[in-house]
């Protein structure tokens, strides 16, 4: 939820830390701060609000030194304010800590520390960590951190500096992301890879409770008992320009436009093209035994859950296997029934979503086998699942998920089709045809993007509508869910989704002349049903936009406006039909004067409950 960074080397730490924090601002932007050691003294600067306010403060209150840590915050304990900003220090101001996560037993620890005379300054859970490290400090920072870890409960990625040990940063994670970049004569710490790429491509991914002691010229790792451990670096292949806006006004628009490439990348490596086309999932260890499952359970949150809803329809269509789709935060608390032959598909862009990880761990403890679909190499989900299928979407910076969603769909379809092939529910000819259809999707997505001004003009006429409802049937219902989420999260329009057949069971009571209805109509057998639904809402005064296929005339008489997408098979259309909705949400957000990349109250990665 928050972003942490660290630098130790020969350069001035402050500009490196600020630069790195800017690349992590998507993880939280309530406040920011840094702590730097120079000339034997630890100095802290922090400010409420975006990083630019911290920069303004540093411009007049300069701090020098070549070792430091930084933080960008998404508040969990205590309001956004200067005093609640990280880094937090011990009473003497000699030890500084930045933290991402939640210290669950902070109240108990606070009472303990207060009984030992500690006066707290903030309302944060993190401050206890700084005081505890000081409590255990006897001249050895690693030992003090190890002792502290024995007492804290919860999730954390921590970086710690100490005035008396200016040659090192101590960093550790548990259930929160942490990456250590290895440079030449300098080393860096961050919550995610993009801030590191300017400096190095060689990184360590520490596991839970592996403590890193980061010096200028080396990184040492210790287990929770303080015994040294060996770790190897991973070389990151991401292009740094992929983590920047590349000429677009916002990351979200850039990421929407990256979908054709992301879809092609995600598909390409998984297709065998010799003789009859087939799907190659051997790279992830997927063999015939996986398709012997009695049931597939898909669990995720938010947009990733919507990919799961599409997955249910896809698995039933292609593999004829029962599928349950669950919201992870529901699943983890509802005492679900396991069958040892269930397989779980856990979907998460970040691979760090707390509820999703908890659901995965429950499934694992129930004996289930787990396939992860994630965009984050080395994430907790990727490390803990049995099989990992990566979405090759590249870093997704905008809070609103777009290319991660469509590439999640691509992965879900590939697994569903392979299930079908292995279970004999689709023939090799049909499989080859479906692969051709999947291969056509990136170019079809390009065609939709080329028509974006049509959506922009439609948004210009409708962005002030107080209500927007998305409706559809089957795959179009799943895409309605995602479309409504996109619109509400970045434009703050009250938007909902419903299965069109549910209209008469309640939602129609809300429809009046202030309502925009987006009817997603790609399920050809149900066109007549959708047409009736459209007539019903038109009769109540709603404005209706229909999203349907090129050349399709079914809705010409009923819709107010029609946006046409390239003709594709009904079952594969979700990867196309969501794109107009993503664009509509984006343009509404911009027209309302909002920043689509940083919606209020939201963060990119929800690593706490
Ligand atoms: O990283 P994850 O895919 O696990 O994140 C799950 C949701 O928080 C995420 O999909 C969220 O709903 C999106 N930001 C919506 O655009």
């Amino acid at each position: 939820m928050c972003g942490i960074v660290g630098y130790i080397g020969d350069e001035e730490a402050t500009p490196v830390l600020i630069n790195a924090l800017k690349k992590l601002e998507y993880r939280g932007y309530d406040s920011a701060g840094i702590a730097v050691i120079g000339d034997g003294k630890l100095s802290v600067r922090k400010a409420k609000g975006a990083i630019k306010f911290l920069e303004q403060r540093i411009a007049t209150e300069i701090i020098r030194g070549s070792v430091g840590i930084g933080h960008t915050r998404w508040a969990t304990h205590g309001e956004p304010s200067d005093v609640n900003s990280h880094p937090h220090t011990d009473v003497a101001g000699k030890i500084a800590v930045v933290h991402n996560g939640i210290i669950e037993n902070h109240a108990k620890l606070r009472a303990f520390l207060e009984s030992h005379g500690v006066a707290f300054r903030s309302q944060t859970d993190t401050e206890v960590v700084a005081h505890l490290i000081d409590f255990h400090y006897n001249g050895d920072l690693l030992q003090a951190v190890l002792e502290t870890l024995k007492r804290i409960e919860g999730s954390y990625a921590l970086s710690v500096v100490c005035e008396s040990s200016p040659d090192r940063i101590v960093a550790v994670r548990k259930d929160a992301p942490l990456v250590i970049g290895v440079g030449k004569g300098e080393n860096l710490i961050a919550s995610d890879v993009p801030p590191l790429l300017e400096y190095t491509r060689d990184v360590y991914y520490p596991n839970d409770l592996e403590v890193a002691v980061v010096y200028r010229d080396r990184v040492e790792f210790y287990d929770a008992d303080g015994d040294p451990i060996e770790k190897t670096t991973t070389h990151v292949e991401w292009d740094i320009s992929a983590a920047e806006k590349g000429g677009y006004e916002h990351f979200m628009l850039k990421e929407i436009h990256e979908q054709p490439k992301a879809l092609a990348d995600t598909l390409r490596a998984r297709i065998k093209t010799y003789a009859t086309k087939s799907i190659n999932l051997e790279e992830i260890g997927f063999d015939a035994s996986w398709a012997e499952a009695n049931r597939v359970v898909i669990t995720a949150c938010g947009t990733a859950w919507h990919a799961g809803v599409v997955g249910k329809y896809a698995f039933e269509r292609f593999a004829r296997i029962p599928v349950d789709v669950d919201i992870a935060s529901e699943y983890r608390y509802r005492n679900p029934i396991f069958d040892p032959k269930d397989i779980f598909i856990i979907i998460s862009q970040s691979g760090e979503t707390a509820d999703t990880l908890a659901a995965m761990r429950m499934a694992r403890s129930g004996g289930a086998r787990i396939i992860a679909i994630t965009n984050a190499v080395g994430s907790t989900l990727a490390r803990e699942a049995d099989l990992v299928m990566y979405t090759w979407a590249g870093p997704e910076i905008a809070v609103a998920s777009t290319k991660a969603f469509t590439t999640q769909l691509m992965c879900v379809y590939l697994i569903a089709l392979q299930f079908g092939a292995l279970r004999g529910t689709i023939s090799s000819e049909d499989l080859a045809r479906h692969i051709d259809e999947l291969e056509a999707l990136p170019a079809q997505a390009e065609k939709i993007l080329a028509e974006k001004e049509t959506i922009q003009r439609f948004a210009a006429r409708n962005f002030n509508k107080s209500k927007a409802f998305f409706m559809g049937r089957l795959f179009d219902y799943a895409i309605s869910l995602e479309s409504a989420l996109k619109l509400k999260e970045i434009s703050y329009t009250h938007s909902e989704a419903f299965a069109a057949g549910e209209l008469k069971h309640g939602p129609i009571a809300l429809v009046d002349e202030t309502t925009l209805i987006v009817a997603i109509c790609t399920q050809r057998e149900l066109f007549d049903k959708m047409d009736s639904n459209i007539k019903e809402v038109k009769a109540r005064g709603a404005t209706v936009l229909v999203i349907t296929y090129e050349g399709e005339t079914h809705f010409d008489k009923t819709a107010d406006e029609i946006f046409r997408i390239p003709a594709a098979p009904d079952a594969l259309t979700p990867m196309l039909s969501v794109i107009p909705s993503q664009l509509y949400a984006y343009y509404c957000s911009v027209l309302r004067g909002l920043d689509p990349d940083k919606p209020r109250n939201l963060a990119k990665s929800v690593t706490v409950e």
Side-chain angles (χ1 to χ4, degrees):
M1 213 57 94
C2 306
I4 68 169
V5 297
Y7 174 80
I8 182 162
D10 294 327
E11 303 293 320
E12 280 296 328
T14 300
V16 180
L17 295 172
I18 295 291
N19 192 22
L21 285 175
K22 283 182 179 165
K23 299 218 164 60
L24 287 182
E25 229 181 343
Y26 67 90
R27 296 182 64 87
Y29 31 84
D30 290 337
S31 64
I34 59 171
V36 172
I37 303 175
D39 295 331
K41 187 171 166 23
L42 176 79
S43 307
V44 176
R45 301 285 183 272
K46 39 197 193 176
K48 180 182 167 186
I51 290 166
K52 65 181 177 198
F53 297 111
L54 175 65
E55 279 184 291
Q56 285 164 12
R57 181 153 297 171
I58 289 167
T60 53
E61 301 170 31
I62 297 160
I63 42 175
R64 299 205 179 282
S66 55
V67 52
I69 54 177
H71 189 268
T72 180
R73 179 169 187 248
W74 188 82
T76 56
H77 292 69
E79 60 181 11
S81 67
D82 286 0
V83 74
N84 284 335
S85 308
H86 299 214
H88 290 284
T89 62
D90 65 318
V91 173
K94 298 197 180 297
I95 293 169
V97 175
V98 288
H99 167 220
N100 167 33
I102 286 184
I103 306 300
E104 284 166 4
N105 59 339
H106 71 99
K108 206 169 111 203
L109 292 170
R110 190 178 180 114
F112 165 79
L113 289 159
E114 282 172 341
S115 74
H116 282 77
V118 172
F120 277 75
R121 303 180 193 97
S122 75
Q123 294 104 46
T124 65
D125 53 335
T126 304
E127 195 181 337
V128 299
V129 180
H131 297 304
L132 269 182
I133 293 172
D134 175 52
F135 185 81
H136 291 291
Y137 186 69
N138 282 318
D140 184 339
L141 185 58
L142 171 64
Q143 276 309 321
V145 170
L146 288 169
E147 288 306 315
T148 299
L149 297 184
K150 290 181 189 156
R151 307 189 66 156
I152 58 176
E153 292 165 17
S155 63
Y156 44 81
L158 295 165
S159 285
V160 186
V161 287
C162 174
E163 195 175 273
S164 322
S165 309
D167 62 340
R168 72 199 69 177
I169 305 172
V170 176
V172 61
R173 55 158 280 166
K174 180 177 164 284
D175 298 330
L178 182 71
V179 194
I180 296 167
V182 181
K184 288 200 173 60
E186 60 183 6
N187 291 311
L188 297 102
I189 294 165
S191 295
D192 202 350
V193 170
L196 305 180
L197 292 181
E198 219 170 289
Y199 306 92
T200 179
R201 293 183 163 275
D202 294 318
V203 303
Y204 289 107
Y205 291 107
N207 289 316
D208 278 357
L209 294 175
E210 289 177 346
V211 185
V213 184
V214 184
Y215 299 91
R216 277 179 176 71
D217 57 351
R218 66 190 190 284
V219 184
E220 295 172 357
F221 286 95
Y222 298 87
D223 66 17
D225 297 324
D227 294 323
I229 47 175
E230 291 296 319
K231 287 192 73 70
T232 51
T233 55
T234 301
H235 191 71
V236 175
E237 302 290 351
W238 286 357
D239 182 347
I240 192 158
S241 70
E244 288 166 1
K245 281 190 205 149
Y248 289 96
E249 201 181 337
H250 297 99
F251 281 114
M252 183 180 176
L253 190 59
K254 172 174 173 275
E255 288 159 8
I256 289 172
H257 279 81
E258 286 171 345
Q259 289 179 111
K261 180 174 184 307
L263 285 168
D265 289 348
T266 302
L267 177 63
R268 195 180 305 115
R270 279 79 188 229
I271 300 302
K272 286 189 214 160
T273 46
Y274 44 84
T276 312
K277 280 186 184 168
S278 61
I279 292 171
N280 173 15
L281 296 185
E282 285 113 52
E283 50 136 6
I284 63 163
F286 185 95
D287 58 29
S289 69
W290 285 84
E292 287 163 14
N294 289 336
R295 180 176 68 148
V296 173
V297 182
I298 307 178
T299 308
C301 297
T303 288
W305 173 65
H306 299 152
V309 179
V310 174
K312 177 179 173 67
Y313 291 107
F315 270 90
E316 286 177 355
R317 180 76 58 101
F318 297 122
R320 305 301 301 141
I321 185 167
V323 182
D324 282 353
V325 189
D326 263 292
I327 295 168
S329 56
E330 286 294 302
Y331 183 80
R332 65 183 291 192
Y333 292 118
R334 71 167 171 71
N335 195 13
I337 298 156
F338 292 100
D339 179 320
K341 290 197 82 182
D342 286 345
I343 68 141
F344 275 68
I345 299 179
I346 312 279
I347 309 174
S348 172
Q349 187 283 132
S350 62
E352 301 291 350
T353 299
D355 284 319
T356 305
L357 293 178
M360 173 190 63
R361 287 169 183 154
M362 269 185 75
R364 148 110 337 125
S365 65
R369 299 207 290 168
I370 291 158
I371 301 175
I373 296 176
T374 183
N375 197 35
V377 177
S379 62
T380 306
L381 176 61
R383 288 202 308 272
E384 294 188 19
D386 295 300
L387 299 187
V388 186
M389 188 161 182
Y390 286 112
T391 48
W392 297 122
E396 191 178 67
I397 307 296
V399 167
S401 191
T402 53
K403 61 178 180 169
F405 176 66
T406 43
T407 54
Q408 284 163 358
L409 294 183
M410 183 62 89
C411 290
V412 163
Y413 276 109
L414 286 168
I415 299 171
L417 286 166
Q418 187 68 343
F419 251 79
L422 292 168
R423 291 166 70 86
T425 51
I426 46 174
S427 65
S428 54
E429 293 75 30
D430 282 347
L431 180 63
R433 182 169 49 79
H434 291 316
I435 292 170
D436 286 342
E437 290 159 353
L438 290 176
E439 286 177 332
L441 290 172
Q444 293 176 317
E446 286 288 9
K447 278 185 88 176
I448 297 172
L449 294 169
E451 297 296 322
K452 64 175 186 258
E453 278 82 13
T454 309
I455 296 286
Q456 190 174 17
R457 285 193 294 274
F458 183 78
R461 293 192 290 279
N462 291 286
F463 73 97
N464 266 333
K465 282 263 188 303
S466 59
K467 295 176 281 195
F469 299 137
F470 293 79
M471 67 176 183
R473 290 165 183 262
L474 306 182
F475 290 96
D476 292 337
Y477 167 53
I479 292 306
S480 297
L481 291 168
E482 172 58 9
S483 302
L485 174 65
K486 234 41 344 143
L487 186 63
K488 71 170 70 120
E489 73 177 322
I490 59 167
S491 80
Y492 316 151
T493 306
H494 176 205
S495 58
E496 300 297 339
F498 48 87
E502 280 290 289
L503 191 60
K504 290 197 197 69
H505 299 285
I508 200 162
L510 290 170
V511 176
D512 59 23
E513 53 291 333
T514 69
T515 314
L516 171 68
I517 300 274
V518 180
I520 305 179
C521 303
T522 72
Q523 304 301 294
R524 292 172 174 89
E525 285 183 9
L526 297 170
F527 276 175
D528 286 341
K529 305 266 178 224
M530 286 303 296
D531 210 36
S532 303
N533 293 138
I534 292 166
K535 283 178 184 140
E536 285 154 12
V537 294
K538 286 280 298 171
R540 271 90 189 164
T543 303
V544 178
L545 169 69
V546 165
I547 297 172
T548 191
Y549 297 118
E550 272 166 8
E552 183 51 63
T553 56
H554 220 98
F555 306 98
D556 287 3
K557 293 208 175 79
T558 37
D560 291 298
E561 308 226 17
I562 299 182
F563 185 82
R564 296 178 193 281
I565 61 173
D570 297 12
L572 302 182
T573 300
M575 281 170 277
L576 301 178
S577 57
V578 74
I579 297 174
S581 300
Q582 295 169 342
L583 287 165
Y584 181 68
Y586 172 79
Y587 288 121
C588 284
S589 175
V590 172
L591 286 159
R592 285 181 167 220
L594 304 170
D595 180 349
D597 287 342
K598 292 177 188 164
R600 67 185 178 202
N601 307 335
L602 293 174
K604 181 67 182 163
S605 182
V606 186
T607 53
V608 293
E609 265 194 84

